[in-house]
Structure formats: C-alpha cells, structure tokens
Amino acid sequence: MPSFGHLPDASKHPVGWTDSLMHFRSTDAQQWTGQLGALLALAALCVGTGILVTVIGDLASSKPVILAALPLLIVLGFTLAISPKALLLAIIVLRGGTNSLFEETRLGPLGGLGAFVNLSVIALTIILLMRNPKRVPSVAYWIWGPFMLIQFLAVTYAPDPVQQVRLAMAQASTFAMFIVAFQLVDDERSLVDVLRLIVLSSVPVALLTVLAIARGDAYEPGRYSGPFPHPNILAFYLVLVIAIVFYLWKRTEALAISWQTIGSVGYLIVLFGLLLATKTRSAWITATLPFLLYGLFFKRRYLVYLAFAPLLALLIPEFRDRLLDLGQGNEVVQYARLNSFAWRQLIWSDGLRWMDPGRYFMGYGAGAFNYFSPVFFSMAGGRNWGAHSVLVQLFFDIGVVGVSCYLWLFWKCWTAMRPLYRVDRLLYLIGTAALGAYLLTSMSDNMLSYLIYNWYFWLAAGAVCAYAVRAKEPLKPTHAAEPGAGFNPTAQRRKF
C-alpha cells in the first residue's frame, strides 16, 4: 500500500478539513500515477523485447549472424546508461573493423544493425549537445548546415522518397560525427587523442585486409576491399589514415624515440601496401598530397622521394597494368569494353544531355540520377547506376543549389582551419591536403555513398576545425613554422 505522507496539522496550520482532504487526494493520485506509469513502461519494455526476440528469431533462419545483434544491443544499452560518450568512442574505434558484420545484417532497403548504429550516433550526439550546447560554436553549424538542409529538402520531391529518407539519415550521422568532434576537442592533446582513435580504428581494418589478401578473398581479380563493400572505400579510408599517421609522426619527430619512428614508418609502409592492393588510381594520386606539401614547405628531399616513388611502383606488375588500362577502351563503339574513365565520361554526358534546362536550378530530387539512369544511360543494361561523381550527381539531383552548398561545405571548413597556419602549419597543410584530396576524388567517385569513410573523414575534419576555432586567440603561439608547434588554450586538458 502506498505511503501518503503526513496531513497538515490543523493546530499549527489553520486550514480547513476541505484543504486537508484535497492534499490527501492530490498526494495519493500523484503516487498512484507514478506507479502506474512505471508498470506501463515495464509492460511496454517486455512486449518490445518479446517482439524483438521473435523478429530476430525469424530472421536468424536466413541470416544466422543476426543472432549476434541481440546481445550487442544489450551491451550498447548498458554502455549508454553508464556513459554515452564512452559508447560513442567505442563505436568510433570498432565501426570500421566490424563493417562486414553490419553488412551481413542488412535487411533490404530498411538497413540492418548498421542503420541502428547510425541512429544511435545521432542520438548520442544530441544527448551530448543537450548536456552542454555551448561547446559547439555556431561556425560548426554554418559549415554543414546548408548542405544538410538542402539534402532533406530534396527528399521531399525525390522520385523514391522512402529510400532517400534512409540515405539522408545516414548523411545526418556523418554530420553528427563532425559536430561531436567539437565536443571532444579542447586543445592540442585532445586533438591528438581523437586522431589516435581514428588510427586505432584502422588496425582491425588492416588486419582483416591482410587476411583477405592471404586467403585470396578479392572483390574482383587483384582488387581487395577488406571489411568494406568496395575497394574504393578502403582506398580512401587508407589515404585518410596515412595522412593522420604522417602528421602524428612528424609533429614530434625531433622528440620521438627510435621505436616510435620505426613504428610510424613501418605502419605507413603497411598502409601503402594495402593501398596498392585496392588498385584505386585516384587514391594513389591523392595519397601523395600531404607528402608533396610537406616537401614544398618543410623538407625538400620529400620531393625527391615523390619523384622516384612512381618509378619504383612501376616495377610492380599490378600497378603498371592498372595504369596502362587507361590507354585502352577510350572509344565508345558497339560491344567495346570501356576503361573506367571513359565509362564515367559516357554516363556523365548521357545524364547531363537528358536533363531538362528547367531542372538546372533544383534538380530532379534526391537519388534521381540513380533512379533515372536506366532511362538515359546508353549502357545501363536495365540496371541503376550511380553518377560516379558527386558534382554531377548533385547537379542532377539538386541542381546548382546542391552543388553550391557542397562547395560551401569545403570552403567554410577550410576557412575555419586557417588560424592554424600561424599556430601549427603542419596540421594546416595536411588538413588542406585532406580536404583537397576529398574534393578531387569526389569529382570522379560516389563519395557520398561511402558512409564509413565519411564518418572518419568528417570526424577528423571536425577535430581539426575545433582545434583551429579555439586557436584564434592563443596566448603565445610557439614556432608557427615548425611541425607540431601548437598551443594550449585551456588551463587544463579536458579528458574524454
């Protein structure tokens, strides 16, 4: 029986019996309402768990890997209750290496466990923002806000809105990764912690890729994708990790002990070896950008290394054959096999010629290029094809407005990094190289579809921007031209 507390003492408080009865009934009703709410919540939890177990049991007959989803969800729930930030950091470290597991749980257009994790990242970011909304400056929202807004607007007139809602939510999780970086980074040391988390996430990816190469488990003859669904995703991810490892090594090269240097150089060699195994030519080119800028601004001997590296790579048959492939299949004739660049040129020209000029401003809606590709692409073969160019895709889908918002994203991100030039020039140059590499590869690939890579790229970009924003008014910048010279804008380091 519930306890109703104490009624007012009429001898001490001159109130009438009517007031006492009203107080009694109000207290009684509040406690019974609370208990009823708890019982209803418990009942809903039991029903929901029963439905979830039933659904998982039915699906497990066709996809046994789904049996791993229930205990994983339980672990995620307990971790969320203990520390939302710890759960987010665990997702960052493990998401890349466990991607093959997420791919196995995919359930058609609704997604699978991966979609649940995407929603979890968005929810965790919202929780962290509600705890301390002032930690994220307005510039962070100005960088990503216009692009996110126009993507959701384009869903409203998309030819297949249901599918595009899911893809828009995936983009929202990438935006969340960018925002959460501002929650994690206060100073140089916290920036380094975030970058090391990204490097740590690459260790299981590298091991799984080495295992795939040893087993001959290739995406197509001679091309390996590791735990990712396509070699290009692995390639661009490796380019990002290479740039981060190079920065972490060079920022403390003068103070690093020998085993740290050996470890950094050794891991870079492994990463470059895996990059060659993807046979992604655009990634081979963009991987050189950090080393090129380092040679131009710091040590000129790196320019000599870059000059000899392609000559040595030509000794590798797979590398040489991949380059020579561009010299064949450049003519569109019947039954001819086009090389990848000629094929891209054909689908771009077919799509752009098919567009009505009245659609140049706002496009045909999110996902329209893929949806209409069987109609306009002369080599579609009844299949749906991506544009293999973010700029072409956005122009077709969202028009000039979409392309402008996309370029705005990179421009604002780069301008946010500019204060680093006088504080940590090495970080500024490598950040610029990473943005340039992404923008260049987006001209010839479906970068918006590479969710895992986008997560890590925009987490790193957000971390660098957060550090730069808080570096605008440093007390005493140290040796701005030296690699790794940084500042500490806060008296104490804020721990994760």
Side-chain angles (χ1 to χ4, degrees):
M1 181 175 180
S3 174
F4 301 123
H6 299 284
L7 295 174
D9 188 348
S11 63
K12 296 180 180 180
H13 304 281
V15 295
W17 282 105
T18 304
D19 294 334
S20 300
L21 183 60
M22 292 291 291
H23 173 82
F24 178 90
R25 290 178 176 175
S26 174
T27 306
D28 183 32
Q30 289 176 2
Q31 294 197 5
W32 275 108
T33 301
Q35 291 184 4
L36 180 60
L39 288 173
L40 290 175
L42 180 60
L45 179 62
C46 293
V47 172
T49 303
I51 294 174
L52 181 63
V53 171
T54 303
V55 171
I56 290 178
D58 291 338
L59 293 174
S61 59
S62 58
K63 291 190 174 184
V65 71
I66 294 180
L67 287 174
L70 185 58
L72 181 59
L73 292 176
I74 294 174
V75 172
L76 291 177
F78 277 112
T79 309
L80 174 63
I82 297 172
S83 173
K85 187 174 290 186
L87 176 57
L88 184 62
L89 297 177
I91 291 174
I92 292 171
V93 173
L94 299 175
R95 183 63 178 91
T98 57
N99 185 71
S100 55
L101 174 64
F102 290 99
E103 291 294 327
E104 289 292 330
T105 62
R106 185 182 295 274
L107 301 173
L110 297 178
L113 188 58
F116 176 81
V117 173
N118 295 345
L119 293 175
S120 299
V121 168
I122 297 172
L124 290 170
T125 304
I126 293 174
I127 291 172
L128 295 177
L129 285 175
M130 291 176 63
R131 289 183 174 182
N132 192 357
K134 294 183 179 180
R135 279 196 54 79
V136 181
S138 60
V139 65
Y141 299 105
W142 273 109
I143 292 173
W144 257 89
F147 186 56
M148 280 304 308
L149 180 63
I150 197 63
Q151 285 192 93
F152 277 102
L153 178 62
V155 172
T156 61
Y157 59 99
D160 184 9
V162 176
Q163 172 71 1
Q164 295 309 312
V165 166
R166 185 180 67 84
L167 296 178
M169 292 305 296
Q171 286 296 320
S173 69
T174 302
F175 174 43
M177 279 293 183
F178 180 80
I179 292 298
V180 83
F182 286 82
Q183 294 278 352
L184 300 177
V185 174
D186 277 317
D187 53 19
E188 186 180 19
R189 288 182 292 179
S190 56
L191 165 72
V192 170
D193 284 341
V194 172
L195 296 181
R196 284 174 175 166
L197 279 179
I198 298 175
V199 175
L200 182 60
S201 76
S202 71
V203 174
V205 173
L207 292 175
L208 290 171
T209 306
V210 170
L211 180 61
I213 295 173
R215 296 171 54 187
D217 186 12
Y219 175 82
E220 60 185 36
R223 296 192 72 188
Y224 295 89
S225 60
F228 300 133
H230 195 279
N232 288 6
I233 306 176
L234 175 62
F236 300 135
Y237 172 81
L238 292 174
V239 169
L240 173 65
V241 177
I242 286 171
I244 294 175
V245 172
F246 184 67
Y247 167 72
L248 294 176
W249 169 36
K250 288 299 180 180
R251 66 179 288 275
T252 57
E253 184 180 21
L255 303 176
I257 59 178
S258 58
W259 67 266
Q260 291 176 319
T261 300
I262 293 173
S264 298
V265 174
Y267 197 44
L268 283 173
I269 292 174
V270 171
L271 294 175
F272 270 110
L274 298 179
L275 182 60
L276 286 175
T278 65
K279 289 190 175 182
T280 304
R281 287 175 293 240
S282 57
W284 293 347
I285 296 172
T286 55
T288 64
L289 291 181
F291 302 91
L292 175 63
L293 293 180
Y294 187 78
L296 291 173
F297 287 88
F298 293 108
K299 295 182 179 180
R300 298 298 172 84
R301 69 172 184 267
Y302 275 77
L303 299 179
V304 179
Y305 300 158
L306 286 177
F308 281 98
L311 299 178
L312 294 176
L314 286 173
L315 299 177
I316 304 174
E318 290 80 3
F319 181 85
R320 182 175 63 250
D321 295 342
R322 186 67 172 166
L323 290 181
L324 293 176
D325 181 58
L326 286 176
Q328 303 173 0
N330 290 300
E331 296 183 4
V332 182
V333 295
Q334 191 175 16
Y335 305 119
R337 179 183 179 273
L338 298 179
N339 66 52
S340 59
F341 183 65
W343 184 91
R344 282 170 167 80
Q345 288 181 308
L346 179 61
I347 193 173
W348 297 339
S349 61
D350 285 352
L352 295 178
R353 281 199 303 264
W354 185 83
M355 286 188 71
D356 184 280
R359 295 281 189 167
Y360 286 171
F361 186 67
M362 288 293 291
Y364 289 89
F369 191 99
N370 182 275
Y371 185 86
F372 290 114
S373 59
V375 179
F376 63 74
F377 185 29
S378 55
M379 299 183 66
R383 293 177 56 188
N384 296 88
W385 296 92
H388 288 74
S389 170
V390 174
L391 298 183
V392 174
Q393 174 190 340
L394 289 175
F395 182 67
F396 193 99
D397 292 358
I398 322 179
V400 175
V401 176
V403 175
S404 300
C405 291
Y406 184 70
L407 296 178
W408 167 273
L409 167 63
F410 286 89
W411 169 255
K412 290 298 291 183
C413 192
W414 180 72
T415 55
M417 292 181 182
R418 281 191 299 182
L420 291 175
Y421 186 79
R422 58 189 173 88
V423 176
D424 188 341
R425 189 173 298 177
L426 175 64
L427 180 61
Y428 169 76
L429 292 174
I430 290 183
T432 300
L435 285 176
Y438 191 107
L439 193 56
L440 284 174
T441 52
S442 67
M443 294 180 182
S444 60
D445 220 316
N446 299 314
M447 301 298 288
L448 297 181
S449 301
Y450 300 160
L451 177 64
I452 303 304
Y453 166 67
N454 284 323
W455 269 23
Y456 289 107
F457 178 87
W458 288 108
L459 174 65
V464 175
C465 287
Y467 177 54
V469 167
R470 294 179 172 108
K472 282 186 176 180
E473 297 180 358
L475 297 177
K476 290 183 179 181
T478 59
H479 305 293
E482 293 296 323
F487 78 104
N488 188 353
T490 55
Q492 294 182 347
R493 178 191 178 191
R494 179 177 174 269
K495 298 181 179 179
F496 284 173

